[in-house]
């Protein structure tokens, strides 16, 4: 089930036209990301042989979905760096230090979308600006629409999940240590992971 629009063939014509599914068009509106049921995390190679996974416990954001025209959709996310959690307190302390994120000086990582498009089926690409520390660079995030539902409290929800690969050095995160056996302690490539549940906001006015 595509979120935005799907292609149908008119029996009276051989021309393919775009038709909007009324049920999907009804999803159009403003949404607030529910941090209690969402996660924003990362995976990075450690010591060349295994992966370290972490997440950010504190984040907030909003979505603007347009069920008829995906290009009008938008996303905004702010992440509190100090909320990082990799399961090891000493490692978390190192990550928020000046060697990495320097959370005291740069407490927030942010993403602001600039465009959105449907890649096919339920897969979408949201492109925007990711700011880490004092560096802002473009980032494209591929997301899968997981569907919509009304929860037990009457909230209209939508769900998305996806990922994007970045080079942390592009955002000034360059700390590393050489291994005796060759290679480095932390890979430059990092995978960002998104699992988003958002609640539709009440209409204004």
């Amino acid at each position: 089930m595509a979120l935005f629009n799907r292609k149908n063939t008119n029996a009276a014509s051989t021309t393919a036209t775009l038709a909007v599914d009324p049920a999907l068009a009804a999803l159009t509106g403003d949404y607030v990301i529910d941090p209690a049921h969402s996660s924003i995390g990362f995976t990075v190679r450690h010591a060349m042989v295994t992966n370290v996974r972490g997440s950010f416990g504190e984040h907030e954001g909003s979505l603007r979905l347009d069920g008829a025209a995906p290009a009008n959709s938008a996303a905004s996310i702010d992440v509190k760096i100090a909320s990082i959690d990799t399961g090891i307190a000493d490692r978390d302390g190192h990550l928020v230090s000046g060697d990495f994120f320097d959370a005291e000086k740069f407490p927030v990582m942010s993403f602001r979308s600039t465009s959105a498009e449907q890649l096919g089926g339920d897969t979408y690409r949201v492109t925007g600006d990711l700011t880490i520390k004092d560096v802002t660079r473009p980032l494209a995030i591929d997301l899968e629409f997981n569907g919509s539902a009304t929860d037990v409290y009457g909230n209209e929800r939508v769900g998305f999940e996806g990922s994007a690969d970045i080079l942390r050095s592009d955002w000034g995160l360059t700390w590393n240590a050489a291994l005796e056996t060759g290679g480095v302690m932390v890979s430059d490539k990092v995978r960002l992971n998104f699992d988003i549940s958002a609640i539709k906001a009440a209409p204004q006015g």
Side-chain angles (χ1 to χ4, degrees), residues 7 12 14 17 34 61 64 70 93 100 125 128 131 158 177 185 189-190:
K7 185 176 292 186
T14 58
T17 60
D34 177 9
R64 170 64 184 174
F100 283 95
R125 176 167 293 159
T131 300
V158 292
M185 180 70 71
K189 180 181 176 181
V190 180

Side-chain angles (χ1 to χ4, degrees), residues 31-48:
Y31 292 77
V32 176
I33 293 175
D34 177 9
H37 296 93
S38 301
S39 65
I40 297 176
F42 60 90
T43 305
V44 60
R45 182 76 70 179
H46 177 262
M48 309 294 292

Side-chain angles (χ1 to χ4, degrees), residues 40-61:
I40 297 176
F42 60 90
T43 305
V44 60
R45 182 76 70 179
H46 177 262
M48 309 294 292
V49 297
T50 189
N51 290 319
V52 167
R53 293 174 175 81
S55 62
F56 297 92
E58 297 183 38
H59 52 82
E60 61 183 17

Side-chain angles (χ1 to χ4, degrees), residues 137-156:
R137 294 179 62 89
L139 174 69
I141 306 171
D142 288 349
L143 297 166
E144 182 177 354
F145 174 56
N146 287 338
S148 63
T150 301
D151 66 23
V152 295
Y153 301 105
N155 298 311
E156 295 182 61

Side-chain angles (χ1 to χ4, degrees), residues 30-179:
D30 295 314
Y31 292 77
V32 176
I33 293 175
D34 177 9
H37 296 93
S38 301
S39 65
I40 297 176
F42 60 90
T43 305
V44 60
R45 182 76 70 179
H46 177 262
M48 309 294 292
V49 297
T50 189
N51 290 319
V52 167
R53 293 174 175 81
S55 62
F56 297 92
E58 297 183 38
H59 52 82
E60 61 183 17
S62 60
L63 306 176
R64 170 64 184 174
L65 302 183
D66 191 321
N72 294 332
S73 299
S76 174
I77 301 174
D78 291 316
V79 176
K80 186 175 180 180
I81 295 297
S83 70
I84 197 168
D85 181 7
T86 64
I88 298 178
D90 287 346
R91 181 165 58 204
D92 297 342
H94 191 199
L95 288 170
V96 301
S97 75
D99 282 345
F100 283 95
F101 287 105
D102 197 358
E104 185 173 347
K105 186 175 181 181
F106 305 103
V108 176
M109 172 175 62
S110 65
F111 176 79
R112 300 289 183 270
S113 69
T114 55
S115 65
E117 60 179 317
Q118 183 179 2
L119 299 181
D122 291 334
T123 304
Y124 300 86
R125 176 167 293 159
V126 178
T127 302
D129 295 322
L130 175 66
T131 300
I132 302 175
K133 300 176 75 171
D134 56 351
V135 179
T136 299
R137 294 179 62 89
L139 174 69
I141 306 171
D142 288 349
L143 297 166
E144 182 177 354
F145 174 56
N146 287 338
S148 63
T150 301
D151 66 23
V152 295
Y153 301 105
N155 298 311
E156 295 182 61
R157 290 181 178 268
V158 292
F160 294 89
E161 64 179 319
S163 63
D165 291 335
I166 67 171
L167 298 179
R168 60 188 178 90
S169 59
D170 287 344
W171 280 267
L173 303 175
T174 57
W175 182 92
N176 227 321
L179 301 175

